Amino acid sequence: MKAEALRIDADRLMRRLERLAAIGAIEGGGCARLALTDEDRAGRDLVVGWMRALGLEVAIDPIGNVFGLRRGREDVAPVMTGSHIDTVRTGGRYDGNLGVLGGLEAVETLNAAGIVTRRPIVVAFFTGEEGARFAPDMLGSLVYVGALALPAALDVVSIDGRRLGDELARIGYAGDAPPGVHRPHAYVELHIEQGPVLDAEGITIGAVADLQGISWQEIAITGQSNHAGTTPMRLRHDPGYAAAAIGGFLRDLARELGGSQVCTMGKVDLHPNLINVIAARATLTADLRNTDEALLREAERRLALFVGGLAHAEGVTIATRPLARFAPVTFDAGVVQLVERTAARLGYSCRRMTSGAGHDAQMLARICPAGMIFVPSVQGISHNPAEHTAPADLAAGANVLLHALLELAA
Ligand code: GLV
Ligand code: MN
Ligand code: MN
């Protein structure tokens, strides 16, 4: 068959997505495979088994990133694709998984057609993309590109108090492939949009041109725990109140800065967390994102100012700890155009867009030309078991990936 006429097998792609989604399945059709948990290990084992069955040479690096290599006619830098298979605790079935299984589907399609590309093709999945258990997000790809030292990454402590290196060894994925193995010629990642744009506009493919900056921090508040009934309001030093005030401020901050600015208090823990006890401690997270680096810095500055004033006014101690900080990323113009061209050739509607979510591609962009292919998320719902993409759109994305890989590997 002429390469131009090749199409992926949509049913086979769906079957793999369903089998992976069965691991860590949660109510509502989603998945809980937090990084380096037993569920993550089971998901990894399944995908590695598929890689081997497809004839890929599997390499695992010391941070647990997994690479499946399909040899090319020449022993030159490979074209890489992939994503992640870890999820948030209330994840959907496509976030990350589509990019990895879409890559395997492309490989199987090439295998079936007997096509050997000039360049090798690598399908990768990176450790801890979500950052929900171990911060920062994109941790595995950050180490892969050399931007985070391995020892520091191995020492990251999870939200449940475990050291990353220990958990990686426990699940058997501390590999011995050299860091940065298979340095790519180019990287292209298929992912669901996770936002509302493509669905609202009825467009099948997003050619991702850029990705917004991300700033994560933990804010720990210490006050005076006391009786909720007897302590006059004027004598309170209340971490619960301070946490709520920061939550409210984040919403105001996003509204004031406008544009692409988004602010989220996604996690808050009160101690002792009882109805009639003024909390002793509160710990919360702030997630700030903006497409403009200067405005993201402004958001950070205003939050720090508010937190300082609040600590003084309420008489509490507030300590902040950075968890992740990534500047906005512009993807390679050549890869963006390749995605647009490929979508057009295959007859899919396509638009350029910005990614609101973080992705491994933004790290790979530091070492090679990189870009992304988005497919619609119904009603823009993601990080939620209800996350959904129509099977025809999943297949369209995988077909664009297949042909983008073919061109990059030619
Ligand atoms: C990763 O999913 C992110 O938080 O953008
Ligand atoms: Mn993802
Ligand atoms: Mn995600």
Side-chain angles (χ1 to χ4, degrees):
M1 189 193 288
K2 287 272 293 289
E4 187 56 32
L6 274 190
R7 294 295 180 270
I8 62 99
D9 181 331
D11 292 335
R12 195 168 57 197
L13 174 63
M14 290 308 295
R15 281 197 299 277
R16 281 210 182 94
L17 284 164
E18 275 162 28
R19 278 194 61 195
L20 184 52
I23 298 175
I26 56 173
E27 207 177 325
C31 297
R33 288 195 310 274
L34 284 168
L36 311 187
T37 56
D38 290 346
E39 291 76 20
D40 186 20
R41 169 181 27 204
R44 285 164 172 266
D45 291 350
L46 181 66
V47 175
V48 167
W50 282 331
M51 285 178 167
R52 295 215 160 96
L54 291 174
L56 301 181
E57 295 169 27
V58 174
I60 305 175
D61 75 8
I63 197 68
N65 298 322
V66 176
F67 306 87
L69 173 81
R70 182 178 196 265
R71 291 209 173 265
R73 287 195 305 278
E74 294 175 25
D75 188 17
V76 292
V79 175
M80 188 178 286
T81 188
S83 192
H84 61 97
I85 63 165
D86 70 313
T87 73
V88 297
R89 194 184 278 124
T90 53
R93 41 177 60 200
Y94 304 125
D95 176 0
N97 306 304
L98 174 64
V100 179
L101 303 188
L104 293 189
E105 182 52 44
V107 164
E108 185 151 10
T109 304
L110 295 178
N111 286 358
I115 292 176
V116 180
T117 51
R118 180 172 86 82
R119 290 183 182 277
I121 292 175
V122 171
V123 181
F125 60 88
F126 295 96
T127 294
E129 188 273 350
E130 291 289 4
R133 186 174 182 223
F134 297 96
D137 46 350
M138 285 77 71
L139 182 142
S141 49
L142 195 61
V143 171
Y144 175 73
V145 303
L148 174 63
L150 179 64
L154 294 174
D155 278 341
V156 170
V157 175
S158 68
I159 54 169
D160 50 329
R162 306 291 171 86
R163 186 178 162 273
L164 189 148
D166 297 341
E167 287 293 88
L168 190 60
R170 186 185 68 79
I171 68 162
Y173 274 86
D176 56 9
V181 64
H182 301 320
R183 190 185 173 89
H185 163 72
Y187 179 84
V188 59
E189 176 172 347
L190 169 63
H191 206 285
I192 56 167
E193 180 199 334
Q194 309 184 270
V197 176
L198 294 174
D199 187 47
E201 297 183 1
I203 292 174
T204 305
I205 298 294
V208 186
D210 51 13
L211 186 152
Q212 63 185 350
I214 303 175
S215 168
W216 281 4
Q217 58 185 288
E218 183 184 80
I219 303 175
I221 309 163
T222 312
Q224 177 63 57
S225 189
N226 209 335
H227 194 293
T230 62
T231 314
M233 297 311 290
R234 68 190 158 75
L235 294 182
R236 293 188 183 212
H237 308 287
D238 182 353
Y241 161 72
I246 292 171
F249 175 78
L250 288 173
R251 174 59 69 96
D252 295 342
L253 179 62
R255 194 182 310 117
E256 272 171 32
L257 287 175
S260 69
Q261 182 66 51
V262 286
C263 300
T264 307
M265 179 174 82
K267 183 170 186 291
V268 56
D269 298 296
L270 296 182
H271 182 82
N273 206 24
L274 296 168
I275 186 168
N276 53 355
V277 182
I278 296 168
R281 293 192 304 280
T283 310
L284 63 113
T285 56
D287 174 322
L288 315 178
R289 306 193 194 200
N290 200 308
T291 51
D292 183 313
E293 173 65 15
L295 289 174
L296 185 55
R297 287 210 193 115
E298 175 62 11
E300 293 173 316
R301 191 188 68 79
R302 290 197 199 183
L303 175 59
L305 211 62
F306 178 80
V307 164
L310 178 66
H312 183 72
E314 184 65 10
V316 293
T317 305
I318 307 186
T320 60
R321 183 167 72 95
L323 295 176
R325 184 63 169 87
F326 304 117
V329 171
T330 303
F331 286 119
D332 180 79
V335 178
V336 178
Q337 285 159 13
L338 168 65
V339 173
E340 289 176 323
R341 201 165 59 236
T342 308
R345 228 172 61 220
L346 299 183
Y348 301 126
S349 53
C350 177
R351 63 161 280 168
R352 280 190 185 211
M353 60 190 306
T354 296
S355 172
H359 295 291
D360 294 306
Q362 80 190 88
M363 300 310 159
L364 273 291
R366 298 181 184 205
I367 61 164
C368 67
M372 298 188 73
I373 303 159
F374 273 0
V375 288
S377 293
V378 174
Q379 291 179 5
I381 302 271
S382 189
H383 284 186
N384 180 325
E387 175 188 288
H388 185 67
T389 297
D393 290 339
L394 298 169
N399 276 315
V400 174
L401 176 66
L402 167 69
H403 285 277
L405 290 172
L406 271 171
E407 189 166 329
L408 288 167

